[in-house]
């Protein structure tokens, strides 16, 4: 691994970082925010945000090859299109600006730094295509058992390719956006009825976001990570009753299309160098176009709280397929990808009962309700419930690289 | 039906219309074209195109509530966002300008009219989300028999809701774009191999395109057509070997995502008033949110030629679910739709052997190859093959409303 000076645990910023903050100077995640001055791109640092539009305007990002208005924008798409060498140069510069209070940023902190609590966060990208994978073997096995009890839980294709489907791009929204319980066709013994879903569920996921377009050229697995800017928390809402009824033979549609919630902060892969871990062995060995010595996993602790009660402690390292393999598979047929495209991991379940990533698994499709701290029970989500997803790397001495949160309240 | 003066068979344009043209003055389909003067929106008339940017600039579309640069654009998205009353006013004005040579357009024909043969056509919309339905009962039954021989061919949900999946928006391209044969995982008795698909297939479809965003509000089936601007020909390419291997349980992905071809011309629903026909009875009666007295079908003759040999004569009237029902279903859960979104019908097969909409059905998954005019046989498409989809309404005395073509050559 290339030594990465921006990750040095000893680095300190002149911006105060509260204890346990998700956003020390080693993180520098990208997002889009607005206040009365408009909408701009920024990076999180402690309880503040660096306004990148102002920083760039003041000349502090000169010489990095950045277009003039790239951060005076309501999405990060144009920045992501610039590609990996630029992303690294900008990260290095930002790390310098935030650790050396003589480098210029501290002098303009009045205009270039804003308090996070004072702004609204927005979806950081305009999503062209949204793909949702299905790459946790524990999740796929558990769901297979429930949906196809008479079959092998894992279908024969599952270990040969990262199974995925295209999701709805238009309904991805940022953390804090309330979720209206969707209507749908619900199966009944004497035919379906139409009404509010009775099996509303969360799905604990991570999303990656891509940079430069591939112009329809397959991306080799060995270099696929170069195209990935970074990672964000994702909650892929699901209506399990609708899903069970509609999903054959073309997959989930209305059961998923009503909403997907994404964290406002995208953590650059570069910030996660310390969190790299090998994924589990793949058996059988993938075909050559998916085979890679870099079994690129990340040790990112993930949690779900339901009305303040912890209901899942999972980890992104439980993936079977890596992001590089997912992207290589997706583009292996010549599919065009674009800056700002979003790719969900699929529900991330671990091997233990406390690490399951959705209520479908946790409650065995509602048969075994869980009890919350207030004594109430849940098979699936009720109106008024709040679901909170969080994640961070860095338990073992490395800097804590946090992902912020995806927080959503269910409305009737 | 409201009498529609723009459809009068007796209307004649001062622009010459060749016999049998797809584009008489009663049609007026919208598209996007470019030449050395740039990229603009236009309508087809005979062998010409009316440059709508120039027409608007000259003041000939004044008083219709159009933004200044709405047609000086590389997509029709902004125009579609204006909504149905505007679309109708513009159509009426264009009909007037093209039938009355004293109305102003004839005076500026030198700059406002271009020859179709001299320009390049482009994909007419920037596609936010692409949905592909599966709404021909003949197609779904035939495919069900082949893919699930031990099951009922139609799954229980099929007659209760318009089954659909999300497709790949980034790989929709305009007619004339060559198709590179995609690689993929092909099933073999002792495990999959990776290579060029051996079962490349076309799918004869129509697409509809929507206008104003619904802001996540369900669109009632009774008024859903108001949101639809019009219809275009679509070819939803499929790799059948990849599809059979990958599609369980989340539906088709790499088997479809490599390419979808769309005609350059979108025919406004208004131009198809004469072609309206009731669809077949639906049994069981749809649930209330999908039930509508307007069984909105359209008599549009559709054909597929493979290297000049006719291989399918189908018709858009063979749909089981109407576009209004499709859109009501899709939005019934609060899904957001946007201007320029594209919705495929699914393969349109009729009840007879000569009206099947894809080679999978025509050749019984390759088991019964067809013979082309040059004596060669086809189970699926070969490199160098050319697939041509055409369509038109108006065989019975009404004006011919043609859809142009989707023409594609297969490259290795």
């Amino acid at each position: 691994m290339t030594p990465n000076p921006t990750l040095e645990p000893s680095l300190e910023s002149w911006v105060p970082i509260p204890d346990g903050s998700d956003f020390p100077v080693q993180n520098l995640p990208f997002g889009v925010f607005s206040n009365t001055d408009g909408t701009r791109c920024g990076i999180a640092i402690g309880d503040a945000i660096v306004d990148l539009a102002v920083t760039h305007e003041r000349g502090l990002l000169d010489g990095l090859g950045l277009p003039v208005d790239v951060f005076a924008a309501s999405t990060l798409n144009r920045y992501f299109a610039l590609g990996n060498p630029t992303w690294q140069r900008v990260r290095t510069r930002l790390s310098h600006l935030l650790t050396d209070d003589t480098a210029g940023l501290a002098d303009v902190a009045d205009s270039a730094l804003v308090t996070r609590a004072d702004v609204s966060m927005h979806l950081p990208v305009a999503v062209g295509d949204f793909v949702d994978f299905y790459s946790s073997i524990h999740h796929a096995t558990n769901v297979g058992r429930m949906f196809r009890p008479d079959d092998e839980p894992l279908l024969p294709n599952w270990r040969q390719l990262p199974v995925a489907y295209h999701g709805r791009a238009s309904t991805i929204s940022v953390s804090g956006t309330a979720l209206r319980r969707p209507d749908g066709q619900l199966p009944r013994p004497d035919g379906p009825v139409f009404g509010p879903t009775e099996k509303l569920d969360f799905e604990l996921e991570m999303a990656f976001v891509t940079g430069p377009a591939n112009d329809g050229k397959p991306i080799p697995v060995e270099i696929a990570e170069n195209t990935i800017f970074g990672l964000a928390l994702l909650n892929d809402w699901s209506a399990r009753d609708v899903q069970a009824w509609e999903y054959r033979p073309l997959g989930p549609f209305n059961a998923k299309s009503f909403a997907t919630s994404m964290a406002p902060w995208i953590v650059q892969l570069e910030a996660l160098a310390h969190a790299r871990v090998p994924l589990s062995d793949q058996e059988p060995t993938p075909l050559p176009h998916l085979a890679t010595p870099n079994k690129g996993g990340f040790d990112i602790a993930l949690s779900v709280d339901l009305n303040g009660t912890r209901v899942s402690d999972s980890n992104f390292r439980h993936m079977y397929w890596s992001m590089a393999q997912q992207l290589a598979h997706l583009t292996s047929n010549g599919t065009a990808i674009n800056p700002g495209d979003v790719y969900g991991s699929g529900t991330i379940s671990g091997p233990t009962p406390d690490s399951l990533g959705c209520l479908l698994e946790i409650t065995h499709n509602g048969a075994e309700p869980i009890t919350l701290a207030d004594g109430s029970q849940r098979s699936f989500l009720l109106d008024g419930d709040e679901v909170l997803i969080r994640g961070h790397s860095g338990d073992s001495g490395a800097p804590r690289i946090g992902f912020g949160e995806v927080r959503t309240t269910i409305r009737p």
Side-chain angles (χ1 to χ4, degrees), chain A:
Chain A
M1 194 180 308
T2 317
N4 186 332
T6 65
L7 279 173
E8 274 301 318
S10 61
L11 280 187
E12 289 196 15
S13 177
W14 49 266
V15 178
I17 310 290
D19 278 353
S21 172
D22 270 357
F23 308 127
V25 73
Q26 291 85 359
N27 192 342
L28 307 180
F30 281 69
V32 172
F33 69 98
S34 69
N35 55 17
T36 52
D37 293 338
T39 304
R40 290 93 73 203
C41 306
I43 52 166
I45 176 85
D47 290 339
I49 295 174
V50 178
D51 183 329
L52 293 176
V54 169
T55 306
H56 193 18
E57 198 182 287
R58 297 301 180 99
L60 297 171
L61 301 175
D62 282 359
L64 300 174
L66 294 174
V68 174
D69 286 333
V70 68
F71 293 127
S74 58
T75 73
L76 284 157
N77 290 50
R78 275 181 72 208
Y79 178 61
F80 290 166
L82 299 176
N84 208 340
T86 302
W87 305 336
Q88 293 194 41
R89 283 197 300 266
V90 171
R91 178 177 164 83
T92 302
R93 175 74 61 87
L94 290 170
S95 176
H96 175 63
L97 289 170
L98 283 163
T99 49
D100 182 347
D101 62 5
T102 68
L105 186 60
D107 302 331
V108 297
D110 275 358
S111 59
L113 247 69
V114 297
T115 304
R116 268 201 293 129
D118 294 344
V119 306
S120 300
M121 296 305 300
H122 298 275
L123 190 67
V125 283
V127 184
D129 278 289
F130 169 42
V131 168
D132 198 27
F133 286 92
Y134 188 57
S135 290
S136 151
I137 197 166
H138 308 293
H139 172 69
T141 304
N142 293 336
V143 171
R145 272 200 200 103
M146 281 185 274
F147 276 44
R148 296 179 304 277
D150 305 328
D151 253 337
E152 279 292 306
L154 277 189
L155 292 165
N157 57 20
W158 200 92
R159 287 172 178 272
Q160 293 285 357
L161 54 84
V163 169
Y165 67 100
H166 282 96
R168 184 85 193 171
S170 70
T171 49
I172 304 181
S173 60
V174 73
S175 172
T177 309
L179 176 67
R180 195 183 144 279
R181 178 181 298 273
D183 288 334
Q185 286 198 13
L186 318 178
R188 293 283 191 270
D190 46 357
V193 298
F194 183 75
T197 175
E198 295 162 353
K199 293 191 171 181
L200 184 61
D201 200 359
F202 60 80
E203 288 195 337
L204 169 61
E205 302 199 12
M206 299 287 300
F208 71 86
V209 181
T210 47
N214 67 338
D215 300 321
K217 292 194 182 66
I219 300 180
V221 65
E222 299 80 13
I223 59 169
E225 268 195 11
N226 286 339
T227 302
I228 299 173
F229 175 79
L231 281 164
L233 299 170
L234 195 79
N235 187 342
D236 182 36
W237 301 100
S238 301
R240 299 303 184 186
D241 36 13
V242 176
Q243 185 177 358
W245 168 238
E246 77 171 4
Y247 89 104
R248 289 185 69 198
L250 300 185
F253 186 63
N254 273 18
K256 301 272 196 175
S257 56
F258 57 94
T260 304
S261 300
M262 187 169 166
W265 296 111
I266 305 177
V267 174
Q268 198 166 341
L269 281 198
E270 190 94 354
L272 294 163
H274 292 312
R276 286 186 180 271
V277 289
L279 295 179
S280 303
D281 286 342
Q282 296 177 325
E283 179 52 45
T285 302
L287 292 175
H289 69 297
L290 298 178
T292 163
N294 168 22
K295 303 211 204 81
F298 291 89
D299 178 10
I300 299 171
L302 300 166
S303 64
V304 184
D305 292 323
L306 172 51
N307 298 345
T309 301
R310 178 64 46 93
V311 297
S312 181
D313 271 308
S314 188
N315 194 300
F316 191 44
R317 69 187 304 163
H318 295 314
M319 302 296 287
Y320 183 89
W321 295 101
S322 71
M323 296 183 284
Q325 291 175 315
Q326 292 171 337
L327 200 53
H329 171 63
L330 182 148
T331 59
S332 66
N333 67 350
T335 291
I337 65 164
N338 289 295
D341 284 352
V342 170
Y343 312 74
S345 57
T347 306
I348 304 166
S349 293
T352 57
D354 63 346
S355 60
L356 303 171
C358 62
L359 288 174
L360 177 72
E361 292 172 81
I362 296 170
T363 71
H364 290 82
N365 198 11
E368 301 174 17
I370 50 171
T371 303
L372 304 185
D374 66 1
S376 66
Q377 292 203 314
R378 291 292 182 283
S379 301
F380 288 95
L381 298 170
L382 299 182
D383 295 340
D385 282 353
E386 183 193 74
V387 178
L388 173 62
I389 292 181
R390 283 185 292 203
H392 67 90
S393 77
D395 273 336
S396 50
R400 176 188 173 96
I401 304 295
F403 286 80
E405 60 180 41
V406 181
R407 187 188 293 266
T408 317
T409 303
I410 314 296
R411 296 263 170 81

